[in-house]
Amino acid sequence: MTPRTSVVIPVQAFEHAKSRLGAALDAEERRDLVERLLVGTVEAARSTPDVAEVLVVSPDPEVLDVAARSGARPVEQRSRGLNPALQEARAAASGSRLLILPADVPGLRPADLTRVLEAGDAAGTPSVVLAPDRHGTGTNALLLDPPDAIDPAFGGDSRAGHAWLAASADIPFTEVTGVLDLDVDTPEDLLLAEALAPQAIHAD
């Protein structure tokens, strides 16, 4: 079967990434952490069956260079804000469905992404599949089939926002729990990540 999923990974500029970790990591450490997590995310996505391409959208040329060296297709962000960036990447994607991933899920495995994609297979077309964060409010994976099933609505309680958009469009909505629930935004998240996936957090 021909792979049909485009994976989109949005990344802020390295210089401004993960400012909420400032109490635990200095600027250079935060930059190195973001790069390690991005490379790991790209590698996991590229190794997942049914992924046709991986796109990284960012306004930062350095991020785009790292993405390209990791095997992703760089998309220069020309708009401002996360959701407009995702719409730019969606316009550049070629797959018949779109998986939006953050770049900060430590220890991401192809098997985790496969669970999300299989939920999409079961739901059919059109459908929206979401993996919530550990707090139950954020979105750590969003699978849109077709890619324009709904518009991305990240920020705040995005889990509820995406569910509402799907319901408003009368599109089946499925949640996949127990995977992709930890992202690294706060010092508490960092401690959890160091315990669960230390190889993803620390350089060799």
Side-chain angles (χ1 to χ4, degrees):
M1 177 183 288
T2 302
R4 66 188 189 95
T5 306
S6 294
V7 174
V8 168
I9 304 168
V11 184
Q12 289 185 345
F14 279 141
E15 181 182 357
H16 305 299
K18 299 300 172 192
S19 58
R20 292 165 66 190
L21 294 176
L25 302 174
D26 64 29
E28 184 176 351
E29 290 170 329
R30 294 197 302 272
R31 185 236 176 268
D32 290 345
L33 172 63
V34 172
E35 180 173 346
R36 281 197 298 277
L37 290 173
L38 170 59
V39 170
T41 302
V42 171
E43 289 177 349
R46 293 184 67 221
S47 300
T48 302
D50 200 44
V51 170
E53 61 178 354
V54 180
L55 297 82
V56 172
V57 58
S58 176
D60 185 347
E62 190 177 6
V63 170
L64 298 177
D65 181 61
V66 170
R69 286 188 278 112
S70 301
R73 177 149 65 96
V75 177
E76 181 183 1
Q77 178 181 342
R78 300 184 181 278
S79 58
R80 293 179 62 88
L82 173 56
N83 293 309
L86 292 171
Q87 294 190 23
E88 286 186 68
R90 177 171 65 183
S94 61
S96 61
R97 64 180 178 180
L98 193 72
L99 176 60
I100 298 171
L101 286 177
D104 60 356
V105 177
L108 180 66
R109 304 171 301 166
D112 301 325
L113 302 182
T114 295
R115 278 193 56 188
V116 177
L117 297 182
E118 288 178 343
D121 292 339
T125 306
S127 62
V128 174
V129 177
L130 183 149
D133 67 7
R134 68 187 182 92
H135 304 290
T137 56
T139 301
N140 275 359
L142 184 67
L143 179 64
L144 304 177
D145 187 355
D148 61 353
I150 61 171
D151 283 335
F154 287 85
D157 191 352
S158 63
R159 179 188 187 184
H162 289 129
W164 182 86
L165 286 170
S168 298
D170 197 25
I171 293 175
F173 177 82
T174 303
E175 288 198 358
V176 178
T177 58
V179 295
L180 307 170
D181 53 357
L182 175 60
D183 54 347
V184 182
D185 285 323
T186 67
E188 181 186 5
D189 296 333
L190 184 62
L191 288 174
L192 280 172
E194 288 176 330
L196 295 173
Q199 74 285 351
I201 299 299
H202 298 289
D204 295 334

